[in-house]
Amino acid sequence: MPGMGATDPADLMAQARREAGLSRQLEQQRREPPHPSRGGCSGYPEWYRDQQLLRHQNHEPLDVSRASISRWYRRRERFRCTGNHDRTQLVGIDMINMVTFIIAYPDASIDEIAVYIYNEGGELYDNSTISKRLKELQITKKKASTEAYQAFTPDNRFKAHVFFHNPPPLGIAGVPRRKLIDVDEFGLTLEKCNRSGGWALKCYRVRKEGHYKVD
């Protein structure tokens, strides 16, 4: 989250670029500097720098180092804090591959995401790195809604209408429900199962394609 000076558009843009895995914009001047009383990493305010430079010219005692005075003679304005280094993990094409895989397979596990990124020529990331990056991108895991999209094709909708609205042998209209169930000498085989969770942007539902087969 943005720290002090969070209302500065430059800080908000820098935070968005960092979350997107883009490079830093260096030597950007502050447009809305924080109040001088906040101090800290925000740097000395311009009025304080002018005061110290004037004291240096008058050979009066200083409250800052000689290095600061030398730097302020070259550049009096403050630059926005950009951090020590750029983000190096899960950026660029690796991040695009991760998001693309989640869009195609929203119910994928973190291990499957890591394998896909590696097979596409990226680094082999651990689970904690991928989880942290997904959180920064506001992609959360939640209960998934399974959709059998094949059931809504015109052919399958026609077959369902005929089956429920016509008598035998075309359908089951008029047949008592008790006669439709026959469990004598039958067996069950579990071939596929649906995962109950999936990945999606915060405040969005997870919709994934369910297993659907028509003989």
Side-chain angles (χ1 to χ4, degrees):
M1 296 297 291
M4 293 185 296
T7 58
D8 190 339
D11 288 342
L12 299 177
M13 182 180 298
Q15 179 68 15
R17 290 179 64 87
R18 176 175 176 80
E19 292 178 352
L22 302 178
S23 61
R24 294 177 295 155
Q25 292 179 321
L26 303 178
E27 299 185 355
Q28 298 294 309
Q29 294 186 6
R30 291 182 177 274
R31 286 177 282 182
E32 297 181 14
H35 193 272
S37 63
R38 311 192 76 165
C41 63
S42 301
Y44 290 103
E46 280 76 8
W47 64 265
Y48 185 82
R49 300 184 181 202
D50 292 337
Q51 182 188 76
Q52 294 299 311
L53 291 175
L54 181 61
R55 296 182 67 176
H56 179 263
Q57 294 172 2
N58 295 333
H59 303 287
E60 298 178 3
L62 302 175
D63 298 327
V64 297
S65 65
R66 295 286 179 177
S68 296
I69 293 296
S70 177
R71 183 171 61 253
W72 293 346
Y73 272 121
R74 299 190 305 271
R75 176 179 57 82
R76 177 181 154 279
E77 295 79 13
R78 290 175 293 173
F79 285 156
R80 183 183 53 78
C81 301
T82 57
N84 294 328
H85 53 79
D86 290 331
R87 183 189 296 275
T88 58
Q89 291 187 322
L90 268 178
V91 296
I93 190 64
D94 288 350
M95 182 183 65
I96 295 176
N97 285 334
M98 178 184 68
V99 175
T100 303
F101 186 71
I102 290 176
I103 293 175
Y105 303 97
D107 59 341
S109 65
I110 294 183
D111 292 329
E112 291 171 338
I113 296 174
V115 170
Y116 177 78
I117 296 174
Y118 181 76
N119 289 337
E120 292 297 316
E123 299 290 336
L124 184 59
Y125 299 102
D126 56 22
N127 290 1
S128 60
T129 301
I130 297 177
S131 297
K132 182 179 179 181
R133 195 73 180 100
L134 290 172
K135 183 178 180 180
E136 292 171 348
L137 295 174
Q138 297 187 6
I139 298 177
T140 58
K141 192 166 188 178
K142 59 199 75 175
K143 289 294 183 179
S145 299
T146 303
E147 308 286 351
Y149 297 106
Q150 302 94 323
F152 298 101
T153 61
D155 291 343
N156 289 332
R157 293 182 65 179
F158 174 75
K159 293 177 182 178
H161 179 80
V162 171
F163 181 74
F164 286 107
H165 293 84
N166 289 273
L170 296 179
I172 60 172
V175 179
R177 184 174 300 178
R178 66 179 185 275
K179 294 185 178 181
L180 299 177
I181 303 175
D182 183 7
V183 296
D184 183 26
E185 297 180 1
F186 83 107
L188 295 176
T189 301
L190 181 61
E191 296 182 353
K192 296 181 180 179
C193 61
N194 288 323
R195 295 176 177 175
S196 60
W199 301 95
L201 282 173
K202 188 180 296 184
C203 301
Y204 282 82
R205 293 180 61 184
V206 178
R207 298 179 181 271
K208 64 185 186 67
E209 183 176 343
H211 303 299
Y212 185 85
K213 182 179 179 181
V214 178
D215 294 328

